[in-house]
Amino acid sequence: MAAAPLYCVCRQPYDFNRFMIECDICKDWFHGSCVQVVEHHAADIDVYHCPNCEPIHGPSMMKKRNNWHRHDYTEPNDGTRPVQAGTAVFVQELQTRSFASGDEILVPMHGSQVTQCYLEREGFHYPIVVHDLDGLGLKLPPPLFSVSDVEHYVGANKVIDVIDVARQADSKLKLGEFVKYYYQPERSKVLNLISLEFSDTKMSNLVEVPEIARKMSWVENYWPDDSFFPKPFVQKYCLMGMKNSYTDFHIDFGGTSVWYHVLWGEKIFYLIKPTKANLALYESWSSSPNQSEIFFGDKVDKCYKCVVKQGTTIFLPTGWIHAVLTSQDSMAFGGNFLHNLNIGMQLRCYEMERRLKTPDLFKFPYFEAICWYVANNLLETLKELREDNCQPQGYLVDGVKALISSLKTWLRREVRECFEVPDNIRPSRLIKALTKEIRYLEDESNKAGKSQGSAEWPLARSSLEKGYQAQRAARRKLPSNLDVLELHTLEVLKRLEVGPLEEVKRPTSPSTADAIQGMLSMAGLLCQQASAGGDILQQHWWSSQGNSNSNSSSDTWDSSEPCSAPRSPEGEDGSLGEEYSYRESSLSPPLHPSKRHAPNPTPISNQATKGKRPKKGQATTKQRLGKIMKMSRHKGLFL
């Protein structure tokens, strides 16, 4: 077997993970670290002379700059070529442009108000900005935390991806090299570091993700510990940008929602709503050959400017198109998370990435695999809600429908492409079961609609109202036979005007016989021959349940009625209302089976309780029936 060829002054074989440069004289290859050439500086070298050739042929020759508005600064400056994104001229022009104020779309909130209960009720469709971090659950280093401190905790030899902003080109270098360049008094280049994920480093202990991101994250709630696929780590990023760093318009991978916190410095976000029209324009712009020469903000109706200052946190919802300008040297922390609130939009963004042939490096790791895990868990959630006679939230139903459609598409291309179906999931059976649950919900909805007779459907409401109605509907349960029987008994006793513990002996009157017949009929759920009092009772019980038909849509931007403006959860007096500080565990995303507690014993089934097990402190069916019979005997009803 032939020996591997050796390169460089170190005479080592080729290493894919190390940057190398070719000598234009001897044609040998050298590791950049061995000849002191950093990758982003190599782009400025016109003719390279290695250490062996330099004494004879002289030093390497550098490229000559001819312009400040093109990625290739060697192009002639004849005024015929447009300005490209990220260049010095572009940044100057961007700072003089006028934009709509971010105050039109931002939802200002206190940290304690950003809860899962609030987002499930109001929806997560507009960016949220938080100035007061109390209650947000976000843990950060102090504002004096420096770039050198990052190097200390992460390690100087950590290989990172940086962006040469003027060329909008990626390059790799060690973190120690970036820090050294950062502290130079004069920088010939603007470098931007936006992809340092540090979950596996010592710095991870200094940062705690906001509680809302942890509670809603698919990875945190659904990713099993025994998964064959490696767990995605996308929740802890450190962003260190030099002044005038610019990231062009983009949607975060997989349509993930994002949290950003500016530790020091300042960031300027340019935000665009993810309407169908804007997403179509974005996809066309992203695939155009002259993308860098067109400012995407000029192609849409409205682009909003939002300045995020030191100490401020911002949450961007699914699918928002945004660009970022670093107006001064800055350090920020952030993370990405998938969740249940906007499943349809997340899937739409992922499919767009596929059409644009986005490299795997810039896509959410194992996106399809986590969707299968989520689908498996949502199936269990729908089954539990059906057994409890609870209506799932509208956003969840819409999300499952979108998920079913995508899973079917992925299943059809299994033969042609690499497939990410976990081993413990049977895809066809899972899709069939989810479809069955959705059909059941639709059938129940149709029955409910027919039962209303000729009553008109309510007018279209905003998605925020729909989310609130869906949440209330999810809490409602139909009364059991035993509930109706007990209430009817109490009503009869009240009508007889006898205290519940008084010993009374009287003959059975006709009205008493009617009451007995009513109670016995109530045991069959509905009163067959109800007395007048029984009619009043039954009407009062059912009228308290309400008739809300929540129909949430996953596509807020393209509904027939414009979205209502985002509103803050503060009360009229500016204080936080009770409904927003309230947290209900039933609204939290169900955990993966491997993370759940051991199941409760199987409940004893009977007709009156429909197989439900009484809650802690609640009387059993036998105890409640005994109580009703005892109360009735005291009244002389069964003498």
Side-chain angles (χ1 to χ4, degrees):
M1 183 176 179
L6 303 179
Y7 302 96
C8 191
V9 293
C10 64
R11 307 317 295 167
Q12 294 291 324
Y14 175 72
D15 185 352
F16 175 79
N17 295 315
R18 298 180 65 183
F19 164 69
M20 300 187 76
I21 186 171
E22 183 187 32
C23 176
D24 289 296
I25 302 298
C26 66
K27 304 301 180 182
D28 196 3
W29 287 85
F30 298 84
H31 297 117
S33 58
C34 292
V35 293
Q36 287 74 50
V37 176
V38 184
E39 184 175 353
H40 68 88
H41 280 153
D44 300 322
I45 300 176
D46 190 17
V47 179
Y48 174 68
H49 296 166
C50 69
N52 298 327
C53 299
E54 184 174 351
I56 302 173
H57 299 277
S60 302
M61 292 181 285
M62 308 302 290
K63 293 179 180 178
K64 181 181 179 182
R65 175 177 290 278
N66 294 321
N67 68 76
W68 293 91
H69 69 286
R70 302 290 297 175
H71 291 166
D72 183 0
Y73 58 80
T74 63
E75 293 180 1
N77 188 14
D78 54 7
T80 61
R81 306 300 299 275
V83 176
Q84 289 183 299
T87 60
V89 175
F90 172 87
V91 171
Q92 291 176 359
E93 293 179 352
L94 179 62
Q95 293 173 330
T96 61
R97 283 174 173 263
S98 297
F99 297 90
S101 172
D103 295 337
E104 298 180 26
I105 55 169
L106 292 178
V107 182
M109 297 177 66
H110 297 292
S112 59
Q113 296 171 334
V114 187
T115 64
Q116 186 170 341
C117 178
Y118 170 82
L119 293 182
E120 289 182 327
R121 174 179 301 161
E122 302 292 343
F124 185 26
H125 304 295
Y126 290 93
I128 296 173
V129 60
V130 180
H131 300 289
D132 184 357
L133 304 184
D134 290 341
L136 189 60
L138 176 62
K139 175 186 173 183
L140 295 164
L144 296 178
F145 195 75
S146 66
V147 174
S148 295
D149 293 325
V150 174
E151 179 185 12
H152 170 73
Y153 282 97
V154 176
N157 291 324
K158 173 79 171 180
V159 177
I160 57 176
D161 291 298
V162 298
I163 300 175
D164 183 342
V165 176
R167 295 191 303 117
Q168 288 292 289
D170 295 334
S171 61
K172 293 184 180 295
L173 70 159
K174 293 181 179 180
L175 180 58
E177 295 171 340
F178 174 83
V179 173
K180 181 179 179 181
Y181 181 78
Y182 181 90
Y183 284 115
Q184 287 184 2
E186 294 185 4
R187 306 167 184 156
S188 59
K189 293 175 177 287
V190 177
L191 300 182
N192 194 17
L193 172 57
I194 60 175
S195 58
L196 175 57
E197 218 290 335
F198 58 90
S199 295
D200 59 345
T201 70
K202 293 187 296 182
M203 195 165 73
S204 181
N205 298 325
L206 304 180
V207 177
E208 195 70 46
V209 176
E211 183 179 4
I212 186 64
R214 297 195 305 270
K215 283 190 172 183
M216 296 179 62
S217 168
W218 276 4
V219 174
E220 297 302 320
N221 290 285
Y222 298 134
W223 194 273
D225 295 332
D226 58 351
S227 174
F228 169 79
F229 305 102
K231 182 178 180 179
F233 289 103
V234 295
Q235 278 270 44
K236 293 183 178 181
Y237 284 99
C238 180
L239 301 87
M240 294 179 285
M242 301 177 184
K243 181 180 179 180
N244 292 335
S245 292
Y246 175 77
T247 305
D248 210 356
F249 285 97
H250 64 282
I251 298 174
D252 279 87
F253 50 28
T256 50
S257 297
V258 192
W259 67 271
Y260 285 102
H261 177 87
V262 178
L263 190 68
W264 44 264
E266 181 180 89
K267 296 273 188 180
I268 301 176
F269 285 77
Y270 301 92
L271 305 172
I272 296 174
K273 294 179 180 178
T275 63
K276 280 186 178 180
N278 289 345
L279 290 175
L281 289 171
Y282 172 78
E283 185 170 358
S284 175
W285 172 78
S286 297
S287 58
S288 63
N290 60 337
Q291 173 187 0
S292 64
E293 300 175 351
I294 302 172
F295 184 70
F296 183 69
D298 293 336
K299 298 181 69 66
V300 298
D301 292 336
K302 226 171 191 182
C303 180
Y304 302 88
K305 179 180 179 180
C306 173
V307 179
V308 182
K309 297 183 179 295
Q310 176 175 325
T312 303
T313 302
I314 186 171
F315 292 86
L316 297 184
T318 304
W320 274 72
I321 308 164
H322 59 284
V324 184
L325 174 67
T326 304
S327 54
Q328 52 186 274
D329 287 354
S330 301
M331 179 182 292
F333 290 92
N336 301 71
F337 59 102
L338 296 165
H339 52 81
N340 288 339
L341 297 182
N342 300 319
I343 296 177
M345 182 66 76
Q346 290 170 175
L347 293 169
R348 184 186 301 180
C349 294
Y350 173 73
E351 292 302 330
M352 185 190 304
E353 291 174 349
R354 287 183 54 83
R355 291 192 297 270
L356 293 172
K357 295 180 171 53
T358 303
D360 290 341
L361 180 64
F362 303 109
K363 292 196 293 189
F364 190 96
Y366 303 103
F367 180 88
E368 293 186 14
I370 195 170
C371 284
W372 286 104
Y373 287 132
V374 170
N376 195 42
N377 279 267
L378 292 185
L379 174 61
E380 298 302 318
T381 300
L382 293 178
K383 287 181 178 179
E384 293 172 2
L385 291 174
R386 173 166 53 82
E387 292 171 357
D388 293 339
N389 285 327
C390 285
Q391 183 72 17
Q393 295 97 324
Y395 71 81
L396 195 60
V397 176
D398 292 336
V400 171
K401 290 179 180 179
L403 197 54
I404 291 173
S405 177
S406 292
L407 295 180
K408 289 180 178 179
T409 301
W410 301 342
L411 198 58
R412 284 194 294 267
R413 66 170 183 248
E414 174 183 5
V415 179
R416 303 192 305 270
E417 302 181 23
C418 181
F419 208 44
E420 294 182 5
V421 179
D423 293 337
N424 62 332
I425 290 179
R426 298 182 179 181
S428 298
R429 180 177 296 183
L430 176 57
I431 293 174
K432 184 177 180 180
L434 279 173
T435 304
K436 181 179 178 181
E437 293 297 328
I438 293 298
R439 285 176 180 170
Y440 171 81
L441 291 172
E442 291 176 344
D443 291 343
E444 291 298 310
S445 178
N446 292 335
K447 290 178 183 178
K450 292 179 181 179
S451 66
Q452 293 183 356
S454 59
E456 295 183 0
W457 289 92
L459 296 176
R461 294 162 294 183
S462 70
S463 62
L464 302 183
E465 283 185 300
K466 291 176 184 177
Y468 177 69
Q469 295 292 345
Q471 191 179 53
R472 289 196 306 179
R475 298 196 187 106
R476 298 193 182 105
K477 295 184 180 180
L478 292 175
S480 66
N481 301 358
L482 193 58
D483 293 329
V484 180
L485 175 60
E486 184 174 3
L487 287 172
H488 185 72
T489 303
L490 294 175
E491 182 70 15
V492 171
L493 297 180
K494 180 179 179 181
R495 186 154 26 90
L496 293 175
E497 297 181 354
V498 178
L501 299 179
E502 294 180 9
E503 292 289 345
V504 179
K505 293 185 179 180
R506 62 177 69 178
T508 305
S509 62
S511 62
T512 303
D514 292 340
I516 295 173
Q517 178 64 33
M519 291 172 57
L520 295 177
S521 299
M522 279 295 180
L525 180 61
L526 295 176
C527 183
Q528 303 294 332
Q529 295 178 347
S531 61
D535 290 336
I536 295 173
L537 174 65
Q538 184 176 348
Q539 180 180 2
H540 173 73
W541 171 261
W542 291 105
S543 64
S544 67
Q545 299 303 302
N547 271 326
S548 174
N549 289 315
S550 177
N551 185 19
S552 177
S553 171
S554 62
D555 194 354
T556 306
W557 308 111
D558 304 294
S559 59
S560 57
E561 184 173 309
C563 291
S564 60
R567 54 194 179 94
S568 173
E570 296 181 4
E572 295 181 0
D573 58 352
S575 61
L576 178 63
E578 290 183 9
E579 58 181 356
Y580 295 104
S581 59
Y582 170 77
R583 296 167 182 252
E584 184 172 348
S585 60
S586 64
L587 296 178
S588 299
L591 297 178
H592 184 272
S594 66
K595 299 178 183 290
R596 295 181 180 176
H597 300 294
N600 293 326
T602 304
I604 300 174
S605 177
N606 59 67
Q607 183 181 1
T609 60
K610 296 184 180 179
K612 294 182 182 179
R613 182 170 179 261
K615 298 178 181 179
K616 184 178 179 180
Q618 179 180 349
T620 63
T621 301
K622 184 175 181 181
Q623 292 172 337
R624 293 178 65 189
L625 281 172
K627 178 181 177 182
I628 294 172
M629 297 295 291
K630 181 178 178 182
M631 293 166 60
S632 301
R633 291 193 190 99
H634 281 304
K635 309 305 177 276
L637 295 182
F638 292 100
L639 291 177

